[in-house]
Amino acid sequence: MPNTAYVTNVRIDDPFWNAFRETLVREGIPYQWEALNDRLSEDTEPSRCMRNFRIAAGKETGEFGGFVFQDSDIYKWLEGVAYSLRWHPDAALEAIADGAIQTIADAQQPDGYLDTYYIINGLDKRWTNLKDHHELYVAGHMIEAAVAYYRATGKRALLDVAIRFVDHIDGVIGPEEGKLHGYPGHPVIEMALMRLYEVTGDEKHLRLAAYFVNQRGQRPLFFEQEDERSGNTFYWKNSPFRYQYYQAGRPVREQKDAEGHAVRAMYLYSGMADVARQTGDESLARACRDLWESATRRRMYVTGAVGSTEHGEAFSFDYDMPNDTVYGETCAAIGLVFFARRMLQLAPRGEYADVMERALYNGVISGMQLDGKRFFYVNPLEVVPEACEKDPHKRHVKPERQKWFGCACCPPNLIRMLASLEDYSAVQGDGTLWLNLYIGGGIEADGLSLTVETRYPWEGGVRIRVNGPARRRLALRIPGWCRDWTLSLNGKCADARLEDGYAVIDREWAAGDVVDLCMDMPARYVRANPRVREDAGKVALQRGPVVYCLEEADNGKALHGLRAGDIASAEAKWEPETLGGVVTLTTDGLREAQDGWGDTLYDFRDAPDAAPVRLRWIPYYAWANRGVGEMRVWVRA
Amino acid sequence: MPNTAYVTNVRIDDPFWNAFRETLVREGIPYQWEALNDRLSEDTEPSRCMRNFRIAAGKETGEFGGFVFQDSDIYKWLEGVAYSLRWHPDAALEAIADGAIQTIADAQQPDGYLDTYYIINGLDKRWTNLKDHHELYVAGHMIEAAVAYYRATGKRALLDVAIRFVDHIDGVIGPEEGKLHGYPGHPVIEMALMRLYEVTGDEKHLRLAAYFVNQRGQRPLFFEQEDERSGNTFYWKNSPFRYQYYQAGRPVREQKDAEGHAVRAMYLYSGMADVARQTGDESLARACRDLWESATRRRMYVTGAVGSTEHGEAFSFDYDMPNDTVYGETCAAIGLVFFARRMLQLAPRGEYADVMERALYNGVISGMQLDGKRFFYVNPLEVVPEACEKDPHKRHVKPERQKWFGCACCPPNLIRMLASLEDYSAVQGDGTLWLNLYIGGGIEADGLSLTVETRYPWEGGVRIRVNGPARRRLALRIPGWCRDWTLSLNGKCADARLEDGYAVIDREWAAGDVVDLCMDMPARYVRANPRVREDAGKVALQRGPVVYCLEEADNGKALHGLRAGDIASAEAKWEPETLGGVVTLTTDGLREAQDGWGDTLYDFRDAPDAAPVRLRWIPYYAWANRGVGEMRVWVRA
């Protein structure tokens, strides 16, 4: 099994991503710190997150506030801060982070335990509800923050806290008699421990991660026994999901379909892939491939959203992709990016990077308002604001991003995703460097130093300059969306082999070498597999990796009455002043008359008259930045 | 304001309806009596209904079982039995009914009160939750049963029980100081009291009905005050409906849109129309017309189903008609028939009868399996069984009828509707007889005696024989679906005026006169108003009043991949052995290839290849009688 590492020495300087990331450090990170300290405006639900730590540390009195997993928000924020400090040093921010870490450390118990919910509400109850009380989830996010902060700053304070907590966990959970033979209801600690292992080299950390993965779903079911022992409620008793809500109804190697809560699924599969890679476990890698194929070939939206149903924020079944009642949580799309990167590390194949790119440029960044201050939890592909307001069956779908959430998982997840974008652009191993994302900046990998210049995703040209000599296979991903491309080396047609979705140049590189990848990037209509009921007879519009949508702001109301015309009519236009700078598309279309029926509801009439119209499309990720209105990705053909 | 009465002297002998009604007396009525006595199979939820009465009467001990409105089931059953005895005398059944009535009478309290929930659980709590505890709803159904049973059998036992209960209610609720200024959370008592008034002529009964209607939604809101006083829970506090869930957020004359729980709405509007007619209240009649127009011109499915959302089993908003998540409760379609008949009594207009017919032949009888033993609560227009099973967001939609329900409102409602079909066929007044439904049998109205022969809804011919001389205007409804028709009198073209949807013959009738109405009944594609998002680009198929659907049993899976072809290709065929005898339709269509995409989920492809296919359509009401499978009413054009 190839063991491919992601490239850590990456510098991003890219016209597309710079804007998002500057918003992040300028607005998102400070805004979310205010949120975690309950200093947002009065109409915003207070987080209580930092307050819980101060209470747990004995510095303040009061009751625990927020969800049982509230601690995770500060950890995700700290992880994001850590990543941002790598490319945007900020002493003041680092000082705030250090202070937060001190507060966290102060709350840690002498035995290493650290979860403010139980510290405040009574330690006697801890470890009695792994299924729903998120102690291991909180631990996982602490570990991820600790590793990131240590790597970014060299400071060990949080890392030491995390290692002590892991030692405590290792004393409580494991295969040995007298320990709980359990695992987390909400995965994340698996991949976190694998990152910790990379830093510590402590086999215990690898062992514990593998235990959580391998023990999951084994008979007798731990969660079932735990419920009996502790008298916990089984919320999914009457759901078709039951323990598969937690991906814990069967051993992971027997799980063939992506099932249950979509974020949990993505996090678990990511951890499974990490363990498979590190331990060379082919049966586990096989399970990862099965679950990947289920999730991405039969259960993923064209935007990279996953989780078709609001019930359980979960996967439903193959080809079930309702556009207006979808869940498509921002965190789940982020989780899909995590999973994709790890699949690339198991085997660099263009397919994985295609999905990663699809999620990143669409269903991930749609989660954040362009000003970085409002967020989507749910990312629908079709919205009629009146329905969100008046049909509570669609209550989870919001026509505008929200300031904050009681359950604020998505905003800090966006921070840590976008702030660590570096880690997703390339993987290396066996003398090959695979470029997966085309993002401007610099990459240093095993002696090969590259500079990347591009206006991707708006233009299909990528120029790669080699900064020094090296012998190395350079694998440039040819995206799945790309039908026509040319590759040149120093101005001449390059000698490249196509392997698993990559154009590979194998040569002795010299300083000054220039590789030009030119990808033809026309707007094209996408169709869904005919088994997708909701998209039958409809098309989506895509250009490069960017999926487009129609908004009421551009096309008026009643988007359901619009029909997409000949793709040959498509025109792309770079509009620097629109939505932070986007390529908009226009196409010929038809607008069916909405009027003329008066009070008649049903009649034996012909199809409504349709008048030619020019449709104006914007990138899906940028929808709902111009007020509340209808939006639609899949349009009648 | 015209005050038009429905014709009570009607005898049905009709090839279409006889089958339903024979099933009713042979299977439905006995089956439901078993259900009400908890004698169905073990996997069926017990009703506890009759047991509650025995406990309340002190003949048995135990706790109250079922919903707070469980009493209503026996009343609805008794009402249905009463209607059936009019056309199907059955001494044994009448004896069972008399026994049930005795049990009910035994449970009545000395002060006239009768609701087993409070008798068993404590009378001190009665009348503290008119909003949700259904005492007036139960009383309403008791009154309806009592009037029906008295009219059918001449027996007063239940009528006397009801009158005593109404006297009790009149002592507790009303405008006078010291009484509760309340009204029912679930209407029905309004129309029940109006029927009681017709029998008793007691002005008190009319006054109480009018009070419930006029007091509803007045400020200060009774339900709000009641919640405060009694500490009741307000379940709809965070719903956009709030008190309009109960149609009680505003005075009824200020309600312009059909809102909230659809069955409650239909029952309230029916009562309003009754009060408006009896009291000549034009402002109330105006409110009825507004609500009628909202419900039927902007919020009704092509099957006559109403209630677009599962949340609150309720109306949502104009033109919001999702086909796969619809509620469309059987009781609501029945309620729409009630409302339509009362609108006809306010003003005989074809529009009202068109809606009545649409509901009756489609969304009402779809509620019952052809064998009379299983029932739909929810009547969807598009079903994929896998979605019902695997996406709990569609949990309320069932792909097959159920044996019984814990909340068993629909089965006995179907009995009382179909057993009293006589009362919906014609109205009379001012020297005119309006024929609204074409059902074979006999009609006696004010000296005019008619015999009707027809094979409606399968054939468009109706022959009416006049049995004796009379001066009378005979108004024959020309259905909204009918474009071409001829009317002849004694074999010659009849001299008729078209008035409000009726062809009116005004003459001195003689015995032996024969009127022939010949309605051309081709299959036609229906389109929905373009504002209906879910039906854009789709057609339904209708022939006469019958709406058709595609089923998997005839057309295979993946009905979303079928497209309807030229209507000129439609062929109708009478199939006596199919589904109890129906006219099936076949049309040309296209079947889009479902295969050939392999594992690909999204691609830049053309529309899938489509092969000619002959589509086979069955009447919507008969769906789900041949096992579980896909079904679809609206098909891509």
Side-chain angles (χ1 to χ4, degrees), chain A residues 297 300 309 391 483 527 529-531 560 595 599-603, chain B residues 297 300 309 391-392 483 527 529-531 560 595 599-603:
Chain A
R297 297 183 184 179
M300 179 185 72
T309 177
D391 179 3
R483 295 278 166 93
R527 284 189 186 257
N529 186 306
R531 296 176 193 275
H560 65 276
D595 300 322
D599 267 345
T600 304
L601 189 48
Y602 302 106
D603 202 356
Chain B
R297 297 184 185 179
M300 179 185 71
T309 178
D391 180 3
R483 294 281 167 90
R527 285 191 184 258
N529 186 307
R531 295 177 193 276
H560 66 275
D595 300 321
D599 267 344
T600 304
L601 188 49
Y602 302 105
D603 202 355

mmCIF file of all heavy atoms in Angstrom, chain A residues 297 300 309 391 483 527 529-531 560 595 599-603, chain B residues 297 300 309 391-392 483 527 529-531 560 595 599-603:
data_model
loop_
_atom_site.group_PDB
_atom_site.id
_atom_site.type_symbol
_atom_site.label_atom_id
_atom_site.label_comp_id
_atom_site.label_asym_id
_atom_site.label_seq_id
_atom_site.Cartn_x
_atom_site.Cartn_y
_atom_site.Cartn_z
ATOM 1 N N ARG A 297 -20.284 8.278 -5.274
ATOM 2 C CA ARG A 297 -20.798 7.863 -6.582
ATOM 3 C C ARG A 297 -22.299 7.659 -6.571
ATOM 4 O O ARG A 297 -22.909 7.486 -7.612
ATOM 5 C CB ARG A 297 -20.122 6.566 -7.032
ATOM 6 C CG ARG A 297 -18.628 6.741 -7.237
ATOM 7 C CD ARG A 297 -18.040 5.449 -7.763
ATOM 8 N NE ARG A 297 -16.582 5.540 -7.890
ATOM 9 C CZ ARG A 297 -15.817 4.550 -8.300
ATOM 10 N NH1 ARG A 297 -16.379 3.375 -8.623
ATOM 11 N NH2 ARG A 297 -14.522 4.688 -8.397
ATOM 12 N N MET A 300 -23.929 11.756 -3.291
ATOM 13 C CA MET A 300 -23.344 13.099 -3.165
ATOM 14 C C MET A 300 -24.033 14.062 -4.129
ATOM 15 O O MET A 300 -24.320 13.706 -5.274
ATOM 16 C CB MET A 300 -21.844 13.024 -3.484
ATOM 17 C CG MET A 300 -21.111 14.353 -3.420
ATOM 18 S SD MET A 300 -19.374 14.183 -3.947
ATOM 19 C CE MET A 300 -19.608 13.947 -5.719
ATOM 20 N N THR A 309 -30.981 13.908 4.035
ATOM 21 C CA THR A 309 -32.176 14.109 4.849
ATOM 22 C C THR A 309 -31.876 14.822 6.156
ATOM 23 O O THR A 309 -30.828 14.611 6.774
ATOM 24 C CB THR A 309 -32.905 12.771 5.141
ATOM 25 O OG1 THR A 309 -34.033 13.038 5.999
ATOM 26 C CG2 THR A 309 -31.997 11.768 5.839
ATOM 27 N N ASP A 391 -43.471 26.523 5.520
ATOM 28 C CA ASP A 391 -43.599 25.077 5.653
ATOM 29 C C ASP A 391 -42.511 24.580 6.593
ATOM 30 O O ASP A 391 -41.376 24.363 6.184
ATOM 31 C CB ASP A 391 -43.470 24.375 4.304
ATOM 32 C CG ASP A 391 -43.592 22.862 4.474
ATOM 33 O OD1 ASP A 391 -43.827 22.408 5.619
ATOM 34 O OD2 ASP A 391 -43.451 22.137 3.476
ATOM 35 N N ARG A 483 -12.016 18.307 -20.432
ATOM 36 C CA ARG A 483 -12.010 17.416 -21.591
ATOM 37 C C ARG A 483 -10.825 17.694 -22.520
ATOM 38 O O ARG A 483 -10.308 16.812 -23.172
ATOM 39 C CB ARG A 483 -13.314 17.587 -22.395
ATOM 40 C CG ARG A 483 -14.556 17.160 -21.652
ATOM 41 C CD ARG A 483 -14.755 15.658 -21.724
ATOM 42 N NE ARG A 483 -15.750 15.216 -20.752
ATOM 43 C CZ ARG A 483 -17.050 15.082 -21.018
ATOM 44 N NH1 ARG A 483 -17.497 15.337 -22.219
ATOM 45 N NH2 ARG A 483 -17.885 14.676 -20.086
ATOM 46 N N ARG A 527 -25.540 16.724 -16.280
ATOM 47 C CA ARG A 527 -26.730 15.942 -15.959
ATOM 48 C C ARG A 527 -26.387 14.961 -14.848
ATOM 49 O O ARG A 527 -25.243 14.573 -14.668
ATOM 50 C CB ARG A 527 -27.247 15.180 -17.173
ATOM 51 C CG ARG A 527 -27.979 16.092 -18.135
ATOM 52 C CD ARG A 527 -28.686 15.336 -19.218
ATOM 53 N NE ARG A 527 -29.234 16.280 -20.176
ATOM 54 C CZ ARG A 527 -30.529 16.628 -20.228
ATOM 55 N NH1 ARG A 527 -31.395 16.116 -19.377
ATOM 56 N NH2 ARG A 527 -30.947 17.502 -21.122
ATOM 57 N N ASN A 529 -26.938 11.258 -13.026
ATOM 58 C CA ASN A 529 -27.283 9.873 -13.335
ATOM 59 C C ASN A 529 -28.813 9.757 -13.380
ATOM 60 O O ASN A 529 -29.496 10.284 -12.499
ATOM 61 C CB ASN A 529 -26.706 8.979 -12.228
ATOM 62 C CG ASN A 529 -26.886 7.500 -12.511
ATOM 63 O OD1 ASN A 529 -27.991 7.033 -12.765
ATOM 64 N ND2 ASN A 529 -25.789 6.761 -12.456
ATOM 65 N N PRO A 530 -29.355 9.100 -14.391
ATOM 66 C CA PRO A 530 -30.824 9.074 -14.536
ATOM 67 C C PRO A 530 -31.547 8.498 -13.322
ATOM 68 O O PRO A 530 -32.754 8.691 -13.178
ATOM 69 C CB PRO A 530 -31.041 8.180 -15.764
ATOM 70 C CG PRO A 530 -29.764 8.208 -16.509
ATOM 71 C CD PRO A 530 -28.673 8.418 -15.498
ATOM 72 N N ARG A 531 -30.821 7.805 -12.466
ATOM 73 C CA ARG A 531 -31.475 7.263 -11.274
ATOM 74 C C ARG A 531 -31.786 8.333 -10.234
ATOM 75 O O ARG A 531 -32.524 8.076 -9.277
ATOM 76 C CB ARG A 531 -30.600 6.178 -10.642
ATOM 77 C CG ARG A 531 -30.430 4.980 -11.556
ATOM 78 C CD ARG A 531 -29.486 3.933 -11.000
ATOM 79 N NE ARG A 531 -29.125 2.987 -12.040
ATOM 80 C CZ ARG A 531 -29.864 1.921 -12.363
ATOM 81 N NH1 ARG A 531 -30.974 1.664 -11.728
ATOM 82 N NH2 ARG A 531 -29.468 1.123 -13.340
ATOM 83 N N HIS A 560 -38.621 28.101 -11.086
ATOM 84 C CA HIS A 560 -39.085 26.804 -11.597
ATOM 85 C C HIS A 560 -39.667 26.927 -13.004
ATOM 86 O O HIS A 560 -39.801 25.938 -13.715
ATOM 87 C CB HIS A 560 -40.139 26.204 -10.666
ATOM 88 C CG HIS A 560 -41.395 27.009 -10.615
ATOM 89 N ND1 HIS A 560 -41.553 28.105 -9.783
ATOM 90 C CD2 HIS A 560 -42.547 26.915 -11.317
ATOM 91 C CE1 HIS A 560 -42.751 28.615 -9.981
ATOM 92 N NE2 HIS A 560 -43.378 27.923 -10.893
ATOM 93 N N ASP A 595 -48.421 34.025 -15.683
ATOM 94 C CA ASP A 595 -49.736 34.645 -15.596
ATOM 95 C C ASP A 595 -50.682 34.041 -16.629
ATOM 96 O O ASP A 595 -50.338 33.156 -17.378
ATOM 97 C CB ASP A 595 -49.605 36.151 -15.810
ATOM 98 C CG ASP A 595 -48.704 36.758 -14.746
ATOM 99 O OD1 ASP A 595 -48.781 36.315 -13.586
ATOM 100 O OD2 ASP A 595 -47.899 37.639 -15.099
ATOM 101 N N ASP A 599 -57.546 32.589 -11.623
ATOM 102 C CA ASP A 599 -57.838 31.771 -10.458
ATOM 103 C C ASP A 599 -57.847 30.280 -10.760
ATOM 104 O O ASP A 599 -58.175 29.475 -9.887
ATOM 105 C CB ASP A 599 -59.227 32.142 -9.913
ATOM 106 C CG ASP A 599 -59.120 33.193 -8.832
ATOM 107 O OD1 ASP A 599 -57.998 33.405 -8.333
ATOM 108 O OD2 ASP A 599 -60.158 33.785 -8.498
ATOM 109 N N THR A 600 -57.533 29.925 -12.004
ATOM 110 C CA THR A 600 -57.595 28.513 -12.378
ATOM 111 C C THR A 600 -56.393 27.778 -11.813
ATOM 112 O O THR A 600 -55.258 28.230 -11.959
ATOM 113 C CB THR A 600 -57.610 28.383 -13.907
ATOM 114 O OG1 THR A 600 -58.705 29.145 -14.404
ATOM 115 C CG2 THR A 600 -57.745 26.930 -14.331
ATOM 116 N N LEU A 601 -56.660 26.642 -11.181
ATOM 117 C CA LEU A 601 -55.561 25.879 -10.593
ATOM 118 C C LEU A 601 -55.162 24.708 -11.476
ATOM 119 O O LEU A 601 -53.984 24.425 -11.646
ATOM 120 C CB LEU A 601 -55.966 25.409 -9.191
ATOM 121 C CG LEU A 601 -54.893 24.781 -8.312
ATOM 122 C CD1 LEU A 601 -53.614 25.599 -8.288
ATOM 123 C CD2 LEU A 601 -55.424 24.588 -6.901
ATOM 124 N N TYR A 602 -56.144 24.025 -12.069
ATOM 125 C CA TYR A 602 -55.869 22.902 -12.969
ATOM 126 C C TYR A 602 -56.719 23.061 -14.218
ATOM 127 O O TYR A 602 -57.878 23.459 -14.139
ATOM 128 C CB TYR A 602 -56.199 21.564 -12.287
ATOM 129 C CG TYR A 602 -55.422 21.370 -11.017
ATOM 130 C CD1 TYR A 602 -56.042 21.506 -9.781
ATOM 131 C CD2 TYR A 602 -54.056 21.099 -11.050
ATOM 132 C CE1 TYR A 602 -55.319 21.363 -8.603
ATOM 133 C CE2 TYR A 602 -53.327 20.956 -9.888
ATOM 134 C CZ TYR A 602 -53.960 21.091 -8.665
ATOM 135 O OH TYR A 602 -53.245 20.965 -7.518
ATOM 136 N N ASP A 603 -56.128 22.740 -15.343
ATOM 137 C CA ASP A 603 -56.886 22.897 -16.572
ATOM 138 C C ASP A 603 -56.285 22.015 -17.659
ATOM 139 O O ASP A 603 -55.127 21.615 -17.584
ATOM 140 C CB ASP A 603 -56.868 24.369 -17.014
ATOM 141 C CG ASP A 603 -58.042 24.704 -17.936
ATOM 142 O OD1 ASP A 603 -58.813 23.800 -18.285
ATOM 143 O OD2 ASP A 603 -58.178 25.890 -18.298
ATOM 144 N N ARG B 297 -58.684 27.109 -5.010
ATOM 145 C CA ARG B 297 -58.099 27.704 -6.205
ATOM 146 C C ARG B 297 -56.596 27.903 -6.080
ATOM 147 O O ARG B 297 -55.933 28.225 -7.056
ATOM 148 C CB ARG B 297 -58.755 29.050 -6.503
ATOM 149 C CG ARG B 297 -60.233 28.925 -6.820
ATOM 150 C CD ARG B 297 -60.805 30.272 -7.190
ATOM 151 N NE ARG B 297 -62.243 30.203 -7.396
ATOM 152 C CZ ARG B 297 -62.976 31.256 -7.718
ATOM 153 N NH1 ARG B 297 -62.415 32.454 -7.870
ATOM 154 N NH2 ARG B 297 -64.281 31.132 -7.893
ATOM 155 N N MET B 300 -55.140 23.349 -3.359
ATOM 156 C CA MET B 300 -55.723 22.009 -3.464
ATOM 157 C C MET B 300 -54.975 21.204 -4.522
ATOM 158 O O MET B 300 -54.631 21.719 -5.570
ATOM 159 C CB MET B 300 -57.203 22.131 -3.849
ATOM 160 C CG MET B 300 -57.928 20.811 -4.017
ATOM 161 S SD MET B 300 -59.640 21.071 -4.611
ATOM 162 C CE MET B 300 -59.310 21.585 -6.321
ATOM 163 N N THR B 309 -48.518 20.128 3.980
ATOM 164 C CA THR B 309 -47.363 19.810 4.823
ATOM 165 C C THR B 309 -47.729 18.913 5.992
ATOM 166 O O THR B 309 -48.813 19.032 6.572
ATOM 167 C CB THR B 309 -46.662 21.088 5.346
ATOM 168 O OG1 THR B 309 -45.576 20.706 6.209
ATOM 169 C CG2 THR B 309 -47.616 21.971 6.134
ATOM 170 N N ASP B 391 -36.072 7.385 4.336
ATOM 171 C CA ASP B 391 -35.961 8.797 4.685
ATOM 172 C C ASP B 391 -37.096 9.165 5.625
ATOM 173 O O ASP B 391 -38.214 9.441 5.184
ATOM 174 C CB ASP B 391 -36.021 9.687 3.442
ATOM 175 C CG ASP B 391 -35.899 11.159 3.835
ATOM 176 O OD1 ASP B 391 -35.725 11.436 5.044
ATOM 177 O OD2 ASP B 391 -35.984 12.020 2.946
ATOM 178 N N PRO B 392 -36.808 9.161 6.924
ATOM 179 C CA PRO B 392 -37.882 9.437 7.888
ATOM 180 C C PRO B 392 -38.516 10.808 7.704
ATOM 181 O O PRO B 392 -39.571 11.078 8.253
ATOM 182 C CB PRO B 392 -37.155 9.323 9.234
ATOM 183 C CG PRO B 392 -36.007 8.407 8.946
ATOM 184 C CD PRO B 392 -35.559 8.791 7.561
ATOM 185 N N ARG B 483 -66.076 19.401 -21.916
ATOM 186 C CA ARG B 483 -66.010 20.440 -22.934
ATOM 187 C C ARG B 483 -67.140 20.315 -23.946
ATOM 188 O O ARG B 483 -67.590 21.292 -24.503
ATOM 189 C CB ARG B 483 -64.658 20.371 -23.673
ATOM 190 C CG ARG B 483 -63.453 20.688 -22.812
ATOM 191 C CD ARG B 483 -63.294 22.173 -22.610
ATOM 192 N NE ARG B 483 -62.337 22.467 -21.556
ATOM 193 C CZ ARG B 483 -61.030 22.644 -21.745
ATOM 194 N NH1 ARG B 483 -60.518 22.560 -22.948
ATOM 195 N NH2 ARG B 483 -60.238 22.915 -20.723
ATOM 196 N N ARG B 527 -52.779 20.310 -16.808
ATOM 197 C CA ARG B 527 -51.609 21.036 -16.316
ATOM 198 C C ARG B 527 -52.017 21.847 -15.099
ATOM 199 O O ARG B 527 -53.175 22.216 -14.950
ATOM 200 C CB ARG B 527 -51.023 21.968 -17.372
ATOM 201 C CG ARG B 527 -50.272 21.206 -18.431
ATOM 202 C CD ARG B 527 -49.456 22.093 -19.338
ATOM 203 N NE ARG B 527 -48.847 21.304 -20.384
ATOM 204 C CZ ARG B 527 -47.559 20.931 -20.383
ATOM 205 N NH1 ARG B 527 -46.747 21.295 -19.421
ATOM 206 N NH2 ARG B 527 -47.077 20.210 -21.376
ATOM 207 N N ASN B 529 -51.584 25.250 -12.716
ATOM 208 C CA ASN B 529 -51.216 26.668 -12.797
ATOM 209 C C ASN B 529 -49.690 26.770 -12.734
ATOM 210 O O ASN B 529 -49.057 26.115 -11.915
ATOM 211 C CB ASN B 529 -51.862 27.383 -11.602
ATOM 212 C CG ASN B 529 -51.672 28.889 -11.659
ATOM 213 O OD1 ASN B 529 -50.549 29.377 -11.794
ATOM 214 N ND2 ASN B 529 -52.763 29.629 -11.545
ATOM 215 N N PRO B 530 -49.088 27.557 -13.619
ATOM 216 C CA PRO B 530 -47.616 27.604 -13.662
ATOM 217 C C PRO B 530 -46.970 27.996 -12.342
ATOM 218 O O PRO B 530 -45.768 27.776 -12.152
ATOM 219 C CB PRO B 530 -47.329 28.664 -14.734
ATOM 220 C CG PRO B 530 -48.571 28.743 -15.550
ATOM 221 C CD PRO B 530 -49.713 28.398 -14.641
ATOM 222 N N ARG B 531 -47.757 28.559 -11.438
ATOM 223 C CA ARG B 531 -47.169 28.928 -10.152
ATOM 224 C C ARG B 531 -46.907 27.713 -9.251
ATOM 225 O O ARG B 531 -46.223 27.834 -8.236
ATOM 226 C CB ARG B 531 -48.084 29.906 -9.423
ATOM 227 C CG ARG B 531 -48.209 31.231 -10.162
ATOM 228 C CD ARG B 531 -49.162 32.189 -9.491
ATOM 229 N NE ARG B 531 -49.479 33.282 -10.381
ATOM 230 C CZ ARG B 531 -48.723 34.374 -10.529
ATOM 231 N NH1 ARG B 531 -47.635 34.508 -9.817
ATOM 232 N NH2 ARG B 531 -49.075 35.309 -11.384
ATOM 233 N N HIS B 560 -39.960 8.272 -12.578
ATOM 234 C CA HIS B 560 -39.471 9.628 -12.866
ATOM 235 C C HIS B 560 -38.820 9.695 -14.242
ATOM 236 O O HIS B 560 -38.638 10.786 -14.782
ATOM 237 C CB HIS B 560 -38.466 10.070 -11.787
ATOM 238 C CG HIS B 560 -37.210 9.250 -11.791
ATOM 239 N ND1 HIS B 560 -37.097 8.047 -11.129
ATOM 240 C CD2 HIS B 560 -36.020 9.446 -12.398
ATOM 241 C CE1 HIS B 560 -35.890 7.545 -11.315
ATOM 242 N NE2 HIS B 560 -35.221 8.374 -12.084
ATOM 243 N N ASP B 595 -29.887 3.016 -17.406
ATOM 244 C CA ASP B 595 -28.570 2.390 -17.330
ATOM 245 C C ASP B 595 -27.568 3.126 -18.199
ATOM 246 O O ASP B 595 -27.885 4.124 -18.822
ATOM 247 C CB ASP B 595 -28.684 0.924 -17.752
ATOM 248 C CG ASP B 595 -29.640 0.178 -16.840
ATOM 249 O OD1 ASP B 595 -29.617 0.444 -15.621
ATOM 250 O OD2 ASP B 595 -30.424 -0.645 -17.350
ATOM 251 N N ASP B 599 -21.010 3.811 -12.673
ATOM 252 C CA ASP B 599 -20.786 4.443 -11.375
ATOM 253 C C ASP B 599 -20.784 5.965 -11.457
ATOM 254 O O ASP B 599 -20.515 6.639 -10.467
ATOM 255 C CB ASP B 599 -19.434 3.999 -10.808
ATOM 256 C CG ASP B 599 -19.609 2.791 -9.904
ATOM 257 O OD1 ASP B 599 -20.753 2.523 -9.498
ATOM 258 O OD2 ASP B 599 -18.596 2.156 -9.590
ATOM 259 N N THR B 600 -21.025 6.502 -12.640
ATOM 260 C CA THR B 600 -20.946 7.952 -12.800
ATOM 261 C C THR B 600 -22.188 8.605 -12.207
ATOM 262 O O THR B 600 -23.301 8.183 -12.479
ATOM 263 C CB THR B 600 -20.850 8.301 -14.302
ATOM 264 O OG1 THR B 600 -19.726 7.612 -14.838
ATOM 265 C CG2 THR B 600 -20.711 9.799 -14.497
ATOM 266 N N LEU B 601 -21.951 9.632 -11.417
ATOM 267 C CA LEU B 601 -23.095 10.296 -10.787
ATOM 268 C C LEU B 601 -23.450 11.592 -11.520
ATOM 269 O O LEU B 601 -24.618 11.901 -11.705
ATOM 270 C CB LEU B 601 -22.770 10.561 -9.311
ATOM 271 C CG LEU B 601 -23.896 11.074 -8.416
ATOM 272 C CD1 LEU B 601 -25.161 10.253 -8.554
ATOM 273 C CD2 LEU B 601 -23.427 11.067 -6.961
ATOM 274 N N TYR B 602 -22.426 12.344 -11.950
ATOM 275 C CA TYR B 602 -22.653 13.596 -12.691
ATOM 276 C C TYR B 602 -21.742 13.609 -13.897
ATOM 277 O O TYR B 602 -20.591 13.202 -13.809
ATOM 278 C CB TYR B 602 -22.375 14.818 -11.805
ATOM 279 C CG TYR B 602 -23.224 14.818 -10.558
ATOM 280 C CD1 TYR B 602 -22.677 14.486 -9.328
ATOM 281 C CD2 TYR B 602 -24.584 15.107 -10.634
ATOM 282 C CE1 TYR B 602 -23.464 14.457 -8.184
ATOM 283 C CE2 TYR B 602 -25.375 15.062 -9.509
ATOM 284 C CZ TYR B 602 -24.808 14.750 -8.283
ATOM 285 O OH TYR B 602 -25.600 14.703 -7.172
ATOM 286 N N ASP B 603 -22.266 14.095 -14.994
ATOM 287 C CA ASP B 603 -21.434 14.110 -16.188
ATOM 288 C C ASP B 603 -21.980 15.148 -17.169
ATOM 289 O O ASP B 603 -23.143 15.534 -17.093
ATOM 290 C CB ASP B 603 -21.421 12.725 -16.833
ATOM 291 C CG ASP B 603 -20.206 12.534 -17.728
ATOM 292 O OD1 ASP B 603 -19.430 13.497 -17.915
ATOM 293 O OD2 ASP B 603 -20.032 11.413 -18.248
#
